[in-house]
mmCIF file of all heavy atoms in Angstrom:
data_model
loop_
_atom_site.group_PDB
_atom_site.id
_atom_site.type_symbol
_atom_site.label_atom_id
_atom_site.label_comp_id
_atom_site.label_asym_id
_atom_site.label_seq_id
_atom_site.Cartn_x
_atom_site.Cartn_y
_atom_site.Cartn_z
ATOM 1 N N LEU A 119 17.636 -18.471 15.049
ATOM 2 C CA LEU A 119 18.613 -18.600 16.128
ATOM 3 C C LEU A 119 18.872 -20.061 16.473
ATOM 4 O O LEU A 119 20.021 -20.486 16.673
ATOM 5 C CB LEU A 119 18.121 -17.840 17.357
ATOM 6 C CG LEU A 119 19.053 -17.819 18.566
ATOM 7 C CD1 LEU A 119 20.354 -17.109 18.218
ATOM 8 C CD2 LEU A 119 18.390 -17.133 19.753
ATOM 9 N N ILE A 120 17.813 -20.844 16.538
ATOM 10 C CA ILE A 120 17.962 -22.273 16.824
ATOM 11 C C ILE A 120 18.743 -22.960 15.713
ATOM 12 O O ILE A 120 19.619 -23.809 15.956
ATOM 13 C CB ILE A 120 16.576 -22.920 17.016
ATOM 14 C CG1 ILE A 120 15.956 -22.451 18.334
ATOM 15 C CG2 ILE A 120 16.674 -24.439 16.990
ATOM 16 C CD1 ILE A 120 14.569 -23.001 18.576
ATOM 17 N N LEU A 121 18.432 -22.599 14.470
ATOM 18 C CA LEU A 121 19.128 -23.206 13.341
ATOM 19 C C LEU A 121 20.620 -22.879 13.369
ATOM 20 O O LEU A 121 21.471 -23.756 13.137
ATOM 21 C CB LEU A 121 18.498 -22.726 12.036
ATOM 22 C CG LEU A 121 18.989 -23.386 10.744
ATOM 23 C CD1 LEU A 121 18.711 -24.881 10.777
ATOM 24 C CD2 LEU A 121 18.332 -22.744 9.538
ATOM 25 N N LEU A 122 20.941 -21.637 13.676
ATOM 26 C CA LEU A 122 22.349 -21.236 13.752
ATOM 27 C C LEU A 122 23.066 -21.946 14.890
ATOM 28 O O LEU A 122 24.247 -22.303 14.774
ATOM 29 C CB LEU A 122 22.450 -19.719 13.936
ATOM 30 C CG LEU A 122 22.024 -18.870 12.742
ATOM 31 C CD1 LEU A 122 22.077 -17.380 13.109
ATOM 32 C CD2 LEU A 122 22.903 -19.142 11.530
ATOM 33 N N ALA A 123 22.344 -22.180 15.996
ATOM 34 C CA ALA A 123 22.947 -22.861 17.138
ATOM 35 C C ALA A 123 23.339 -24.292 16.792
ATOM 36 O O ALA A 123 24.342 -24.820 17.292
ATOM 37 C CB ALA A 123 21.994 -22.847 18.327
ATOM 38 N N THR A 124 22.584 -24.928 15.913
ATOM 39 C CA THR A 124 22.908 -26.304 15.513
ATOM 40 C C THR A 124 24.025 -26.351 14.474
ATOM 41 O O THR A 124 24.631 -27.399 14.274
ATOM 42 C CB THR A 124 21.664 -26.993 14.947
ATOM 43 O OG1 THR A 124 21.187 -26.259 13.802
ATOM 44 C CG2 THR A 124 20.555 -27.060 15.985
ATOM 45 N N TRP A 125 24.277 -25.223 13.822
ATOM 46 C CA TRP A 125 25.323 -25.199 12.802
ATOM 47 C C TRP A 125 26.693 -24.833 13.364
ATOM 48 O O TRP A 125 27.710 -25.035 12.707
ATOM 49 C CB TRP A 125 24.952 -24.194 11.709
ATOM 50 C CG TRP A 125 23.909 -24.685 10.782
ATOM 51 C CD1 TRP A 125 23.335 -25.930 10.764
ATOM 52 C CD2 TRP A 125 23.285 -23.951 9.719
ATOM 53 N NE1 TRP A 125 22.397 -26.026 9.782
ATOM 54 C CE2 TRP A 125 22.341 -24.814 9.108
ATOM 55 C CE3 TRP A 125 23.419 -22.655 9.243
ATOM 56 C CZ2 TRP A 125 21.555 -24.421 8.031
ATOM 57 C CZ3 TRP A 125 22.640 -22.259 8.177
ATOM 58 C CH2 TRP A 125 21.715 -23.135 7.571
ATOM 59 N N VAL A 126 26.711 -24.257 14.546
ATOM 60 C CA VAL A 126 27.991 -23.855 15.136
ATOM 61 C C VAL A 126 28.815 -25.107 15.438
ATOM 62 O O VAL A 126 28.300 -26.078 16.012
ATOM 63 C CB VAL A 126 27.760 -23.048 16.426
ATOM 64 C CG1 VAL A 126 29.090 -22.748 17.128
ATOM 65 C CG2 VAL A 126 27.019 -21.756 16.110
ATOM 66 N N PRO A 127 30.088 -25.124 15.042
ATOM 67 C CA PRO A 127 30.936 -26.320 15.293
ATOM 68 C C PRO A 127 31.371 -26.415 16.756
ATOM 69 O O PRO A 127 32.531 -26.176 17.113
ATOM 70 C CB PRO A 127 32.131 -26.085 14.364
ATOM 71 C CG PRO A 127 32.229 -24.595 14.228
ATOM 72 C CD PRO A 127 30.817 -24.090 14.269
ATOM 73 N N TRP A 128 30.391 -26.759 17.618
ATOM 74 C CA TRP A 128 30.722 -26.911 19.032
ATOM 75 C C TRP A 128 31.610 -28.142 19.238
ATOM 76 O O TRP A 128 31.593 -29.076 18.437
ATOM 77 C CB TRP A 128 29.440 -27.089 19.855
ATOM 78 C CG TRP A 128 28.397 -26.024 19.671
ATOM 79 C CD1 TRP A 128 27.299 -26.087 18.879
ATOM 80 C CD2 TRP A 128 28.356 -24.744 20.302
ATOM 81 N NE1 TRP A 128 26.560 -24.940 18.958
ATOM 82 C CE2 TRP A 128 27.192 -24.087 19.836
ATOM 83 C CE3 TRP A 128 29.186 -24.080 21.220
ATOM 84 C CZ2 TRP A 128 26.835 -22.822 20.269
ATOM 85 C CZ3 TRP A 128 28.820 -22.815 21.652
ATOM 86 C CH2 TRP A 128 27.663 -22.188 21.169
ATOM 87 N N PRO A 129 32.335 -28.172 20.333
ATOM 88 C CA PRO A 129 33.007 -29.422 20.721
ATOM 89 C C PRO A 129 31.975 -30.537 20.925
ATOM 90 O O PRO A 129 30.801 -30.260 21.186
ATOM 91 C CB PRO A 129 33.715 -29.059 22.037
ATOM 92 C CG PRO A 129 33.910 -27.579 21.960
ATOM 93 C CD PRO A 129 32.713 -27.045 21.206
ATOM 94 N N VAL A 130 32.422 -31.743 20.814
ATOM 95 C CA VAL A 130 31.481 -32.873 20.827
ATOM 96 C C VAL A 130 30.622 -32.887 22.077
ATOM 97 O O VAL A 130 29.397 -33.066 22.018
ATOM 98 C CB VAL A 130 32.260 -34.205 20.700
ATOM 99 C CG1 VAL A 130 31.302 -35.388 20.788
ATOM 100 C CG2 VAL A 130 33.052 -34.243 19.416
ATOM 101 N N GLU A 131 31.255 -32.710 23.256
ATOM 102 C CA GLU A 131 30.477 -32.794 24.497
ATOM 103 C C GLU A 131 29.490 -31.628 24.624
ATOM 104 O O GLU A 131 28.366 -31.803 25.113
ATOM 105 C CB GLU A 131 31.421 -32.820 25.714
ATOM 106 C CG GLU A 131 32.332 -31.608 25.867
ATOM 107 C CD GLU A 131 33.575 -31.680 25.018
ATOM 108 O OE1 GLU A 131 33.699 -32.635 24.230
ATOM 109 O OE2 GLU A 131 34.419 -30.769 25.155
ATOM 110 N N ILE A 132 29.885 -30.431 24.150
ATOM 111 C CA ILE A 132 28.982 -29.278 24.226
ATOM 112 C C ILE A 132 27.885 -29.377 23.170
ATOM 113 O O ILE A 132 26.737 -28.990 23.411
ATOM 114 C CB ILE A 132 29.783 -27.968 24.060
ATOM 115 C CG1 ILE A 132 30.800 -27.820 25.185
ATOM 116 C CG2 ILE A 132 28.851 -26.763 24.024
ATOM 117 C CD1 ILE A 132 31.640 -26.568 25.093
ATOM 118 N N ARG A 133 28.228 -29.902 22.008
ATOM 119 C CA ARG A 133 27.239 -30.014 20.929
ATOM 120 C C ARG A 133 26.067 -30.890 21.352
ATOM 121 O O ARG A 133 24.910 -30.576 21.033
ATOM 122 C CB ARG A 133 27.905 -30.580 19.681
ATOM 123 C CG ARG A 133 26.956 -30.715 18.498
ATOM 124 C CD ARG A 133 27.682 -31.216 17.265
ATOM 125 N NE ARG A 133 26.773 -31.378 16.156
ATOM 126 C CZ ARG A 133 26.348 -30.388 15.370
ATOM 127 N NH1 ARG A 133 26.776 -29.149 15.591
ATOM 128 N NH2 ARG A 133 25.502 -30.614 14.381
#
Side-chain angles (χ1 to χ4, degrees):
L119 183 63
I120 289 178
L121 187 61
L122 291 176
T124 60
W125 284 356
V126 174
W128 306 99
V130 177
E131 60 278 5
I132 298 179
R133 181 177 178 81

